Amino acid sequence: MRFSAFRLIREGLTGNRGWKPLWRDPAPGPAYDHIIVGGGGHGLATAYYLAARYGMRRIAVLEKGWLGGGNVGRNTTIIRSNYMLPGNQPFYEFSLKLWEGLEQEINFNAMVSQRGVLNLYHSDAQRDAYRRRGNAMILSGADARLLGREDVRRMAPFLDFDNARFPIRGGLLQPRGGTVRHDAVAWGYARAADRLGVDIIQNCEVTGFRIARGRVEGVETSRGYIAAPSVGVAVAGASSQVMAMAGMRLPIESHVLQAFVSEALKPAIPGVITFGAGHFYVSQSDKGGLVFGGDIDGYNSYARRGNLPVVEDVAEGGMAVMPMIGRARLLRMWGGIVDMSMDGSPIIDRTPVEGLFLNAGWCYGGFKATPASGHVFAHLIATGQPHATASAYRLDRFERGLVIDEKGMGAQPNLH
Amino acid sequence: MRIPHPLLGLRDLREFTYLGDAALIDRPEATADEDKAALNAHVFLRDNPAGTHRELWYHEYGDRSWLVVTRDTRTHEILGAELARDVALAAGRDR
Amino acid sequence: MSGGARLAGGLIERERRLRFTFDGQVFEGHPGDTLASALLANGKVLMGRSFKYHRPRGPFSAGSEEPNALVTLRTGARAEPNTRATTAELYEGLEARSQNRWPSLALDLMAVNDLLAPFLGAGFYYKTFMWPRAFWEKLYEPLIRRAAGLGRLSSQPDPDAYESAWLHCDLLVVGAGPAGLAAALTAARSGARVVLADEDFRLGGRLLAERGNLADRTGPDWVGSLEDEFERLPNLRVLRRTTVFGAFDHGVWGALERVADHLAEPLPDMPRQRLLRIVARRTLICTGATERPMAFAGNDRPGVMLASALRAYANRWAVPPPGPVAIFTNNDDGHRTAADLSALGCQVAGVIDMRPQAPQGAGYEVFAGAHVRATRGRLALRAIEVETAGGRIVSLPCRMLGISGGWNPNIQLSLHRGGRPAWSDELAAFLPGTATPADMRVAGAASGDFSTRAALTGGAAIARAALSELGIAAETPDDLPEAEDAHVRITPCWHVPGKGRAFVDLQHDVTVKDIGLAHAENMRSVEHLKRYTTLGMATDQGRTSGVIGLAVMAELAGRSIPETGTTTFRPPYGPVAIGAFAGDARGPGFRPVRLAPSQAWAVEQGAVFVEAGQWMRAQYFPRPGETHWRESVDREVLAVRSSVGLCDVTTLGKIDVQGADAAAFLDRIYCNAMASLKVGRSRYGLMLREDGHAMDDGTAARLAEDHFVVTTTTANAGPVFRHLEFARQCLWPGLDVQLVSTTDAWAQIAVAGPGSRALIARVIDGFDLSDEAFPFMACASLRICGGLRARLFRISFSGELAYEIAVPARFGDALMRRLMSVGADLGVTPYGTEALGVLRIEKGHAAGNELNGQTTAQMLGLGRMVSTRKAAIGAVMSRRPGLLAETRVQVGLVPVDPADTLPGGAHLFAEGAPRDMRNDLGWISSSAHSPHLGHAIALAFLEGGAERMGQTVIVANPLEGAEMRARVVSPHFIDPEGVRLRG
C-alpha cells in the first residue's frame, strides 16, 4: 500500500478499514543469505539498503524485543554533519544527504526537519575551534556559517546574552541540520524493507554464533538455529555482549545517556541549540515538547536509567543559556544504553571471523548516522569492502594509532 | 547513587569521578615496543560486562582516594568498595 | 459574585473570599479552593480544549492526574503554561487563561480539526505531507506546529528563584492519606527521623474527599488532631505541597516542594520551588490509588468526570453539581459517590451499573446491567443515553456524569528502579508485585488494600517492619481510629463497544478506534501502541488512560492484559519545572567563579576580565585614552619586551610532590627525564596520556632531593592531579611519594622582561640573583619583603628574562602591590591573559590550542623529548605506526601581505591545490598580532612542516569567505637562540 494524502482521504471516507500492517510478522526461516542482528534503526536501514541498493535477497533482521526499541526509539532526534575530522565528516555528510531524500524513497513521512543546528561559543579559543570545524565542513562539501553574537541574538533573542556566567559570543550554525521523528525512522525502514521481502523477526534473541574454521555459519536464537553465511551485528548498547559470543573483546564501554522532554508548548525554539559552556542541547518537537539532553551519566551501565546529578546538570545548562524555560515542566525522562568507544567514533568493519561484520561504537552519534550507517554497512556486507565514506571506521585503528578523536579525550569513553 | 567509601561511609555520587574498569590497575610494565600488543589491550579493550563490574572511582571532592567499587551494571547495586591502593598492593603492584 | 454556590460542609474558609479571573472574567472563591473547584462553584465547567481535535473539555479529576483542565496561570514573565486547574491553589488575584483555542474557549475555530477527524487518525502524519519535499519545513510543519502545543512560554527569563536541598532521614513516607498518616505516626512516635511528604496542600488524602471512612469522627477531624501531635514531634518533618517524583539509586529520592505556588508571587528571599534530594534509609509508599474511567462514545463532554472527583468536589469543596447527576460504574465504589451526593442533597438521576447484580440504591434509581452509550450537549453535558439490561434506550437528563471504572494503585514510585508490576484479576489492576526494592514498602490503596481500615493498619505495619530492620523498636499506635473495611467488588469493563468516538487518552484525543487502527497496522507491542498513537504521552502521563489503552489492545490481540505488558515507569511521577531542577545554578551563579589573589587590585586598575574555565582572569589593563583592546595589549606586550611586566599566573596548577621516590615517580609521569634534575633547578616537562598523545605540559622544580613542585596548565590542573594520584595509588603503590594540590595555596606572579631581575632584587631578602648564582631554570625557596617565605623560579613563558615568584596566597595581593610600587621607575606594567598569549605565541610555546588532546609530542616539535630509555606513561604507545607516520608538525606562519590577519581555525593548502579535505595540509591553532614584529603571526600544524620552511601556503577560511597567503617560518618568532631569557 502506498501512502499519500489521497489514500488518507479515501480511507477516511470509508471508515479507515483498509489499512494494512506496516510489516509482516513472519516466523523465522531455517536459513538466509544475510542475517542482521538488531532491529533498531541501523539494523533495519542495513537490511533495507542491502535489498534496495545491493540487490540482496533472503535477508532477515533478528530483534530480541520490539523493533525500534533501542536507541532509535530513545534519543534527542538531532541530525547534523558538523564534524571536524576527515575520518568522520564525509560519512556524516553522506548521512545528511540520505536524510534529505529518505521520506520520498521509503514513502514514509519521518518529519525530516532541517531547521538548523546552532552550537554556541563562549570564548575566543572555542570560536577558533569552531572555525576549524566549520571550515572542515565546507571543505568536505557540507554547509556551515560562523555567527557573531548579534547574528545569534536575531535567531534566538531569548538566550541569556548578558547575564550568563559564560557570555555567548557567537555560534557555528549548520542550516541543513535539524531533527527527525525518531520512531518513524525505524518504522519507515521496517516497512520499506518488509516490502522488499526482508523478514523482520521480533522477539527473537540471538544467543550464540555457530562458527567453524573461522567462518560464521549461522546464529543460535531464542527461536531456534538460523543458518546464514553472512551475519551483520548492529546492536549498539549491547555490542560487547553480543560480540563476546563470538569471542571478541571490543574497545567499547556501555553507558547510560539520559534525555528529557517537556510538556507540549506552542513554538518557542527554532531548530537545535547547543550550549557551549555546559551540557545542554535542545530542540522542539512537532508536538511542542522541548526535547533536550546533555552528558552521559558517566559510569558503565546497562540499566537504561540514570540519576539525579545529570538531570540537574542538564537543567542547569538549560537555565544558564535560556532562562525562559524555567517554568516549562519536564514531563518525561529516559535512559538509553550507548556504546561509548575509545575514541568517540564508530566501528564499521569486518571481524576476525569471516562472514561476521560489526557495526558498533556510536557513542551519542548513532541516530543522525542511521541512513549512512545502514548504507555503508550494507555495502561492506554485500561487497566485502568498506564504503569510501566509512573507510576510517576500522577495528584495528586503535592499535595502529589512527584514532578519530573529535574531542581529544583519549581512551576514556565517558569523556567523549 | 551512594558509594560506600571504606573510610568515610556512604557518600553521594557527585563527590566522585569515574574512570573505568579496575583492570586499568593491571598496567603491563611495558618499556619496549614489543609490548605494544599487551598495552593496546590494556588501554583500549574492555570486558564491559552486563553484571558485576569492578571499577575505579576517584573521591575527587573528598579525600582523593581511588576506590575499586564492585557494582552490578544492570541494577546499579553496589556489592562492595575497597581502597584501590589496597587492591593494587594485593595484586602485587609495588614500586 | 459570591464564591459560588456551595453545599454544606467542606474544607473551605467560607468567611474569606478570594477574587480571581479566568479568561478575564472575575470570579470569587475561598481559601481552600483549587482553581477548578472555584470555577465549578461558579458554574464554569468548560476549562480547556483538547490537543488534537480542540474538543471542549471540563475537569476530569480533582487531582494531579488531570488531563483536561489545563490553563496558563499568571501573566507576563511568570506565565505558567499547562497548569492543572485541579491542583492550582486559589489565591487572591489569581489570573488564569485557557489555552490552545482561537479566538476563545467557547468558540474555537481550530475545532475544525474535529470535523476532519476521519482523516486525522493515529499516525496520519506519517502517511502524507511528503510532496513536494521542500513544503515540509515551509508549509506543513509550521502549520502543524502552530496547531500543536498547548500553552505558550512567556519567552522572558523566569523571574523567580529556585533552590535545591538535601534531606536525610530514617524513613520517608510518601503520601499523607490514611496509610501514610498511620505510618508516619507509628514511626515518629518511635523517635525515628521521619519525613512525611504529600503533594496536596492539606494532609489527609482521600479522608478529605470522602465521608464515612471513620466510625466515630470525620476524617478531617482526625487529621486535625494528628497535625497537632505532628507539630510537637521534632523528629518528624511534614512536607505539604511536596511531590516525591522519582526513586533513584540507593535510596535517593527526588521531591519537588512548591514553596510559593500558592502565593501571587514568592515573598522576598523565598524560592518559588525547592528541589529536595531526600536520602532515606527506608521508604514507605503510601501514594493511594487513582480512579480510572471506562471509554464510551461521547465520554469527553464537559461535565463527564471521574466519580471520585465528583464526590471530592462535593465533600471537600462543597461544590454542588449544576444539575442532576448520573453515575456510570462497574464496581461498588461508584455507588459510594451516588450515596454521598444524595446525602448532600444533590439530585442523583441514576446509577448505571454494568453489573447485572448491582446493589440497590437509596434514593436514586439503579440501572443494573446497563451502560451509557452516548452523551448529549455541546459545551456542557445535557443528557446521557442509557441502554438498559433489556436493550431499551433511556435518555437521562443530567449535567454531570461520574464514571467509576475501578482504581489503579499508584505504584509508579515502587517501579522507578526497575521491575514489572503484577496484575491482579481480583482487583483488575496492576499491583507493585515482587520487584519492589528491599528499601521500599507499599501499603494502603497503593498496594491494592482499598479500605480505610486496611490502609491504617497496613501503614502502621510497614512502618514497624521498616523500623525493625533499622533496629528501632516501634509499636502500632493504640489510638488509630475505627474505620470502614468495605470490600469493593468490580467487574472489569474497559470500554463500551459501539459507534461514535470513545476517548481513551482525553488530552491527546486517542480513541478506541485509534487503538484498533494501531492493531490493524501491526503496531501491537505496547511501546509501538504508545508511540504510534501518542497514548499516555500527554501531560497527565496516561494516569487515567494507560491501563484502558492496554486493555483495549489486549482485547484486540486476544491476549490477557499481563501478556500484553506495561510500559516502563520512569521519573518524574508528575511534571517538574525545569527551573526547579536547576536550582540556583543559573545566570552568573551557573558555575562557581575562582578568582586570582590579585583580583581586587586588578579591579582597581580597571582591568577587563575574561572567563578562563573556572577562573575569571584579567584580560588586559586599559589605560586612559586607549580606545581599542589591541592598543592596550600591544602596549603590555612591548612593555614586557622592553622593561618589565607583571602577570598573576596563580591559575596554573601547582602540585607538591614529596617523598624519597618523588624523582622516580615523576620520571614515569613525564616522557622526558626528571630523575636527573638537580636540586635547585627546574625543567620543562611533557606528560603523555597512556595512549601516547600529549596530555599536558609544565615545569617541575626540584626544591630538595625529595621535594618537587610541578606546574600544570590552568585547564588541566584537576585532571593532571587525578592522573598523578591514580599513578601513585593504583600503579605504583609501593613508591614513597605524596601529592598535595597547592594551586590555591600559593599566589604566583610572573615577572617578565629585561627589568625583571632589578625588580625582583628590590623585594628579596639577601639572595644572589646573578646569572651565575641563579641561572635560567633555577629555583629556590627564599624570604622576601623582610621575612615572608616565598619560592622563586627563573622560568619564562614570554622568552624574556623572567621569574615567577610564589608567596602564600593571602599575600598575593600585597606582593602585587609591592612589586608595582617598587618597580614604578623601571616602567613596571601589569599585563593580562591577552598579552600573555601574544608573548607565548611570539615565542612558539604550546598552550591549550596546541595541547588539545589530539596532538603528539612529535607534532609539537618535542618528539625527541620522549625518552626511549624508560617506561614513562604513554611512551610506548606514542610509537604506534599511525602516530609515527604523522607529519603534521607545529610551524610558524607570517602573512605574505603584512596587512593580512591569520585567523585561528583556518585550514592550510599548497598553492594551486583544490580546496577540499583531501588536499588539506593542516590548520592554524593560535594566532595573534605581534607588536614586536608589527604584523600577524600564527602557530599552525602543517603536514610536512619541517620540509616546507620558507615556502608559501594558502590560508583558507571559506567559512568566512576569506583566503590569504602565508610564509612558513620557525614557530620561534622571537629570539630563537634564547639569548634574551638567559640574559
Side-chain angles (χ1 to χ4, degrees):
Chain A
M1 175 188 292
R2 191 168 169 75
F3 288 160
S4 64
F6 170 72
R7 167 72 66 175
L8 209 56
I9 291 166
R10 205 177 76 183
E11 287 297 330
L13 293 174
T14 55
N16 284 305
R17 283 187 288 268
W19 297 111
K20 297 282 183 295
L22 296 175
W23 46 79
R24 300 161 294 129
D25 269 326
Y32 292 92
D33 290 349
H34 298 283
I35 284 177
I36 305 300
V37 184
H42 292 215
L44 293 165
T46 303
Y48 167 74
Y49 289 112
L50 266 177
R53 298 285 167 91
Y54 295 93
M56 299 291 148
R57 292 294 174 260
R58 300 201 339 131
I59 302 164
V61 176
L62 308 184
E63 167 54 49
K64 76 171 173 184
W66 41 280
L67 73 86
N71 290 330
V72 74
R74 48 189 86 233
N75 60 68
T76 43
T77 79
I78 296 167
I79 61 167
R80 58 187 172 88
S81 69
N82 54 0
Y83 283 76
M84 182 176 79
L85 297 177
N88 276 328
Q89 220 302 319
F91 171 82
Y92 286 102
E93 178 56 22
F94 178 50
S95 203
L96 198 48
K97 290 203 168 76
L98 287 173
W99 283 119
E100 286 171 336
L102 179 69
E103 296 155 301
Q104 290 69 31
E105 179 176 343
I106 63 174
N107 181 230
F108 201 81
N109 185 357
M111 303 176 205
V112 176
S113 173
Q114 294 179 286
R115 294 180 302 134
V117 170
L118 175 65
N119 285 52
L120 300 172
Y121 62 77
H122 309 262
S123 69
D124 289 352
Q126 217 174 4
R127 178 203 58 213
D128 287 359
Y130 278 154
R131 193 185 279 127
R132 182 183 167 203
R133 199 205 288 201
N135 277 320
M137 292 162 65
I138 290 177
L139 293 166
S140 308
D143 60 319
R145 284 173 57 203
L146 192 68
L147 304 184
R149 185 179 154 90
E150 293 311 310
D151 302 322
V152 173
R153 197 193 294 273
R154 275 190 292 277
M155 270 185 71
F158 50 82
L159 298 177
D160 190 352
F161 286 88
D162 301 312
N163 189 35
R165 170 73 175 79
F166 298 101
I168 294 164
R169 305 208 191 276
L172 179 67
L173 174 71
Q174 182 173 32
R176 285 164 60 243
T179 56
V180 178
R181 167 85 182 100
H182 58 338
D183 288 321
V185 175
W187 301 338
Y189 273 122
R191 173 169 167 269
D194 179 85
R195 293 203 301 181
L196 293 171
V198 172
D199 280 1
I200 299 166
I201 303 164
Q202 302 184 68
N203 301 305
C204 181
E205 181 173 5
V206 171
T207 55
F209 295 98
R210 204 174 277 184
I211 297 165
R213 293 175 302 284
R215 275 204 64 92
V216 71
E217 297 187 332
V219 294
E220 308 285 353
T221 79
S222 55
R223 297 171 70 173
Y225 175 72
I226 308 174
S230 160
V231 178
V233 176
V235 294
S239 300
S240 298
Q241 307 305 304
V242 171
M243 295 314 284
M245 296 190 283
M248 289 178 63
R249 285 175 88 213
L250 300 182
I252 284 174
E253 288 178 4
S254 295
H255 285 260
V256 61
L257 174 63
Q258 300 192 63
F260 313 90
V261 65
S262 79
E263 295 178 346
L265 298 160
K266 292 293 177 194
I269 291 176
V272 179
I273 297 176
T274 302
F275 185 30
H279 300 113
F280 177 78
Y281 47 87
V282 64
S283 65
Q284 191 168 11
S285 77
D286 284 335
K287 279 193 304 191
L290 307 180
V291 182
F292 57 104
D295 206 0
I296 54 176
D297 268 42
Y299 41 81
N300 285 50
S301 175
Y302 288 91
R304 282 193 174 184
R305 60 191 172 78
N307 275 293
L308 268 180
V310 165
V311 185
E312 292 178 35
D313 183 67
V314 171
E316 287 167 8
M319 286 300 282
V321 72
M322 47 180 77
M324 74 163 176
I325 63 172
R327 302 176 97 86
R329 296 188 197 85
L330 188 158
L331 177 63
R332 284 193 305 275
M333 53 173 90
W334 63 94
I337 304 306
V338 291
D339 275 3
M340 296 303 294
S341 72
M342 287 289 155
D343 62 356
S345 295
I347 295 157
I348 304 174
D349 204 357
R350 296 181 289 260
T351 69
V353 178
E354 209 177 324
L356 181 61
F357 302 90
L358 176 64
N359 176 322
W362 289 99
C363 302
Y364 307 78
F367 178 69
K368 71 179 87 69
T370 305
S373 172
H375 197 297
V376 306
F377 199 38
H379 180 95
L380 176 71
I381 291 169
T383 69
Q385 296 301 318
H387 188 270
T389 65
S391 57
Y393 296 148
R394 308 302 297 271
L395 200 46
D396 65 358
R397 68 176 183 266
F398 301 97
E399 55 183 291
R400 292 171 63 206
L402 296 171
V403 295
I404 314 164
D405 187 352
E406 290 271 344
K407 284 173 95 176
M409 287 300 172
Q412 201 182 327
N414 65 341
L415 299 182
H416 286 293
Chain B
M1 204 180 269
R2 313 260 300 158
I3 292 176
H5 191 299
L7 305 175
L8 302 171
L10 280 173
R11 309 298 310 172
D12 193 77
L13 173 65
R14 312 167 196 240
E15 296 176 6
F16 295 86
T17 304
Y18 182 79
L19 180 61
D21 195 317
L24 288 169
I25 291 176
D26 308 321
R27 179 176 186 268
E29 286 303 327
T31 50
D33 286 4
E34 299 77 69
D35 302 326
K36 259 186 235 155
L39 261 175
N40 179 60
H42 171 77
V43 174
F44 293 118
L45 301 184
R46 299 285 186 273
D47 288 340
N48 193 24
T52 304
H53 189 229
R54 279 163 58 77
E55 57 197 25
L56 285 158
W57 293 81
Y58 176 54
H59 199 199
E60 184 142 35
Y61 304 96
D63 76 341
R64 295 165 177 173
S65 289
W66 277 93
L67 305 183
V68 172
V69 176
T70 306
R71 190 175 57 95
D72 191 319
T73 57
R74 293 165 304 184
T75 63
H76 298 167
E77 185 191 0
I78 290 182
L79 306 163
E82 306 153 87
L83 291 175
R85 185 168 185 276
D86 294 345
V87 174
L89 287 168
R93 299 200 70 86
D94 188 4
R95 297 173 59 81
Chain C
M1 284 181 301
S2 62
R6 302 283 176 153
L7 301 165
L11 300 171
I12 47 169
E13 284 183 51
R14 285 163 192 274
E15 58 283 6
R16 281 179 56 208
R17 289 182 182 178
L18 301 173
R19 286 164 59 97
F20 68 100
T21 66
F22 180 60
D23 280 340
Q25 197 181 343
V26 181
F27 298 99
E28 280 190 355
H30 299 286
D33 263 326
T34 63
L35 175 58
S37 71
L39 282 172
L40 285 172
N42 283 281
K44 292 289 288 186
V45 180
L46 178 64
M47 295 188 196
R49 289 275 174 172
S50 66
F51 186 89
K52 188 173 173 183
Y53 299 137
H54 290 253
R55 288 175 64 86
R57 296 285 166 79
F60 191 66
S61 75
S64 62
E65 69 270 34
E66 177 60 33
N68 283 344
L70 304 181
V71 301
T72 297
L73 198 62
R74 305 172 210 269
T75 56
R78 287 198 165 84
E80 198 183 306
N82 306 343
T83 299
R84 287 156 292 185
T86 52
T87 58
E89 219 173 314
L90 201 65
Y91 56 82
E92 176 63 33
L94 179 148
E95 291 177 72
R97 278 165 299 137
S98 58
Q99 8 178 86
N100 203 35
R101 79 290 185 273
W102 187 83
S104 74
L105 185 57
L107 177 70
D108 178 9
L109 296 182
M110 300 290 280
V112 65
N113 286 359
D114 202 24
L115 301 174
L116 299 173
F119 313 109
L120 307 182
F124 76 95
Y125 29 75
Y126 299 123
K127 300 168 180 167
T128 183
F129 302 134
M130 286 177 270
W131 305 269
R133 190 160 74 79
F135 273 35
W136 174 252
E137 283 92 345
K138 291 196 176 65
L139 177 68
Y140 304 133
E141 190 179 44
L143 283 173
I144 290 174
R145 283 178 178 269
R146 228 168 295 155
L150 292 165
R152 190 179 296 281
L153 283 178
S154 73
S155 80
Q156 298 170 56
D158 187 343
D160 288 339
Y162 299 85
E163 67 179 27
S164 344
W166 290 92
L167 263 183
H168 293 258
C169 60
D170 295 318
L171 221 57
L172 166 64
V173 182
V174 188
L181 289 169
L185 185 68
T186 305
R189 283 186 185 168
S190 75
R193 287 183 309 161
V194 181
V195 171
L196 171 65
D198 195 284
E199 62 178 341
D200 205 335
F201 53 90
R202 276 187 93 119
L203 303 185
R206 57 190 284 201
L207 297 176
L208 307 177
E210 297 177 355
R211 48 183 56 222
N213 304 75
L214 306 182
D216 42 16
R217 60 204 298 196
T218 68
D221 181 37
W222 179 62
V223 175
S225 68
L226 274 187
E227 287 185 285
D228 291 341
E229 179 172 353
F230 286 172
E231 285 286 311
R232 298 190 299 272
L233 289 167
N235 55 321
L236 170 66
R237 178 143 177 191
V238 178
L239 298 168
R240 294 177 183 81
R241 305 183 175 99
T242 301
T243 305
V244 176
F245 63 77
F248 298 92
D249 283 318
H250 311 149
V252 180
W253 298 80
L256 180 75
E257 185 180 3
R258 286 173 293 277
V259 181
D261 278 356
H262 60 296
L263 306 174
E265 57 185 75
L267 304 176
D269 301 325
M270 183 191 262
R272 173 185 172 222
Q273 297 178 341
R274 182 179 291 131
L275 177 76
L276 293 168
R277 312 162 187 132
I278 304 178
V279 182
R281 297 172 72 197
R282 295 289 183 277
T283 299
L284 309 180
I285 315 271
C286 304
T287 42
T290 302
E291 196 170 29
R292 64 181 179 231
M294 294 174 279
F296 55 91
N299 61 338
D300 69 327
R301 205 82 61 197
V304 179
M305 66 173 74
L306 294 169
S308 58
L310 210 48
R311 75 176 178 234
Y313 285 120
N315 286 327
R316 176 171 174 179
W317 288 288
V319 175
V325 173
I327 304 290
F328 180 28
T329 185
N330 64 351
N331 68 87
D332 295 352
D333 196 70
H335 292 261
R336 270 185 82 170
T337 298
D340 279 11
L341 290 170
S342 193
L344 283 163
C346 307
Q347 188 192 340
V348 177
V351 173
I352 300 91
D353 194 325
M354 296 285 295
R355 302 169 300 174
Q357 270 78 44
Q360 282 308 299
Y364 50 84
E365 186 175 359
V366 173
F367 296 83
H371 60 259
V372 178
R373 49 170 260 161
T375 64
R376 300 269 174 269
R378 197 175 70 87
L379 297 178
L381 184 68
R382 298 282 162 198
I384 58 174
E385 252 181 42
V386 176
E387 184 170 340
T388 66
R392 202 160 45 88
I393 308 297
V394 179
S395 181
L396 212 56
C398 60
R399 300 296 302 276
M400 291 225 157
L401 173 65
I403 321 169
S404 180
W407 290 78
N408 292 329
N410 293 325
I411 57 178
Q412 293 89 337
L413 291 176
S414 75
L415 293 163
H416 279 175
R417 275 164 44 193
R420 295 275 167 192
W423 178 257
S424 161
D425 276 326
E426 189 201 345
L427 301 171
F430 282 108
L431 299 180
T434 53
T436 312
D439 60 324
M440 295 185 208
R441 285 183 164 74
V442 190
S447 70
D449 289 336
F450 290 132
S451 82
T452 312
R453 182 186 156 84
L456 291 168
T457 56
I462 59 168
R464 247 184 10 250
L467 291 170
S468 113
E469 281 177 3
L470 301 178
I472 301 171
E475 287 177 13
T476 301
D478 53 12
D479 52 351
L480 289 180
E482 284 298 313
E484 58 82 23
D485 196 19
H487 181 69
V488 174
R489 288 159 303 171
I490 179 168
T491 301
C493 166
W494 311 104
H495 72 107
V496 176
K499 298 183 125 191
R501 278 179 293 169
F503 289 88
V504 178
D505 185 316
L506 287 163
Q507 190 180 128
H508 272 175
D509 288 326
V510 181
T511 63
V512 171
K513 277 185 186 164
D514 287 317
I515 299 173
L517 179 62
H519 181 261
E521 299 194 276
N522 200 9
M523 287 291 190
R524 292 176 194 177
S525 113
V526 176
E527 285 287 346
H528 286 155
L529 167 67
K530 178 180 99 176
R531 289 155 188 260
Y532 196 58
T533 64
T534 75
L535 173 85
M537 297 179 88
T539 63
D540 61 320
Q541 299 165 317
R543 296 260 293 277
T544 56
S545 62
V547 174
I548 313 238
L550 191 62
V552 173
M553 179 55 85
E555 192 178 293
L556 290 165
R559 289 179 296 182
S560 70
I561 289 173
E563 279 168 353
T564 307
T566 58
T567 56
T568 312
F569 290 108
R570 299 178 180 281
Y573 172 68
V576 177
I578 293 171
F581 277 116
D584 58 3
R586 56 182 283 202
F590 169 55
R591 290 292 178 257
V593 181
R594 295 173 79 181
L595 299 174
S598 64
Q599 165 77 10
W601 165 84
V603 170
E604 288 169 25
Q605 304 304 307
V608 172
F609 291 87
V610 66
E611 307 78 26
Q614 303 164 330
W615 297 85
M616 286 298 276
R617 296 185 71 180
Q619 188 176 18
Y620 54 96
F621 295 82
R623 284 200 180 154
E626 292 175 344
T627 55
H628 190 275
W629 64 270
R630 262 281 305 284
E631 284 181 72
S632 312
V633 173
D634 286 359
R635 171 181 51 73
E636 291 171 17
V637 170
L638 290 172
V640 171
R641 298 256 178 254
S642 62
S643 54
V644 58
L646 300 179
C647 183
D648 191 328
V649 293
T650 304
T651 61
L652 292 177
K654 296 183 276 296
I655 302 170
D656 242 45
V657 184
Q658 299 199 35
D661 294 323
F665 177 74
L666 290 179
D667 226 25
R668 299 176 196 184
I669 295 296
Y670 287 103
C671 70
N672 52 320
M674 281 296 167
S676 57
L677 185 63
K678 292 190 175 62
V679 174
R681 289 291 180 271
S682 316
R683 186 173 285 166
Y684 175 78
L686 179 69
M687 318 183 169
L688 306 182
R689 292 190 312 236
E690 193 70 271
D691 68 356
H693 287 262
M695 179 180 187
D696 198 50
D697 70 349
T699 57
R702 191 166 198 174
L703 294 175
E705 201 58 42
D706 59 355
H707 184 188
F708 289 77
V709 173
V710 163
T711 67
T712 75
T713 59
T714 299
N716 282 329
V720 167
F721 188 77
R722 186 191 314 150
H723 173 66
L724 263 56
E725 281 290 5
F726 176 75
R728 185 182 77 86
Q729 296 176 42
C730 299
L731 300 184
W732 304 297
L735 288 180
D736 176 7
V737 60
Q738 298 295 330
L739 308 170
V740 182
S741 168
T742 61
T743 305
D744 293 298
W746 292 89
Q748 195 148 315
I749 296 173
V751 183
S756 58
R757 182 180 287 130
L759 178 55
I760 294 282
R762 293 178 186 182
V763 295
I764 54 177
D765 299 352
F767 186 85
D768 186 356
L769 273 187
S770 70
D771 196 49
E772 297 72 41
F774 200 71
F776 178 57
M777 297 310 273
C779 65
S781 287
L782 74 173
R783 301 264 166 187
I784 65 167
C785 301
L788 178 64
R789 66 196 171 93
R791 290 168 175 174
L792 188 66
F793 310 89
R794 190 171 157 192
I795 52 180
S796 176
F797 201 42
S798 58
E800 297 298 325
L801 171 69
Y803 301 82
E804 290 189 11
I805 183 165
V807 293
R810 63 188 182 281
F811 296 102
D813 176 81
L815 177 61
M816 183 62 92
R817 290 175 198 271
R818 174 71 63 91
L819 289 168
M820 284 300 292
S821 68
V822 301
D825 61 314
L826 299 171
V828 65
T829 302
Y831 65 101
T833 55
E834 283 298 324
L836 188 76
V838 174
L839 290 162
R840 72 99 189 164
I841 295 170
E842 286 182 338
K843 184 62 187 168
H845 277 308
N849 293 2
E850 286 74 36
L851 291 162
N852 68 353
Q854 298 168 326
T855 54
T856 63
Q858 188 175 310
M859 293 172 76
L860 293 163
L862 305 172
R864 274 182 297 183
M865 277 179 72
V866 184
S867 169
T868 52
R869 291 195 300 276
K870 58 171 191 159
I873 289 175
V876 174
M877 294 297 267
S878 75
R879 293 190 285 274
R880 286 179 288 160
L883 273 64
L884 290 177
E886 175 65 76
T887 69
R888 286 178 300 187
V889 295
Q890 188 178 312
V891 298
L893 295 179
V894 294
V896 170
D897 177 347
D900 279 341
T901 57
L902 298 171
H907 287 238
L908 307 177
F909 291 89
E911 285 196 283
R915 312 288 192 263
D916 59 36
M917 284 307 279
R918 268 184 299 282
N919 291 285
D920 188 278
L921 294 181
W923 75 99
I924 291 180
S925 55
S926 295
S927 68
H929 172 81
S930 167
H932 182 78
L933 298 171
H935 55 72
I937 57 171
L939 298 179
F941 289 96
L942 177 64
E943 196 171 300
E947 291 77 48
R948 292 183 198 267
M949 284 297 155
Q951 295 180 9
T952 302
V953 291
I954 301 298
V955 173
N957 182 20
L959 185 63
E960 292 164 292
E963 196 164 287
M964 58 286 291
R965 297 165 74 225
R967 198 157 44 81
V968 183
V969 297
S970 154
H972 309 292
F973 295 95
I974 188 165
D975 189 29
E977 296 78 28
V979 175
R980 285 166 174 255
L981 50 81
R982 291 193 168 79

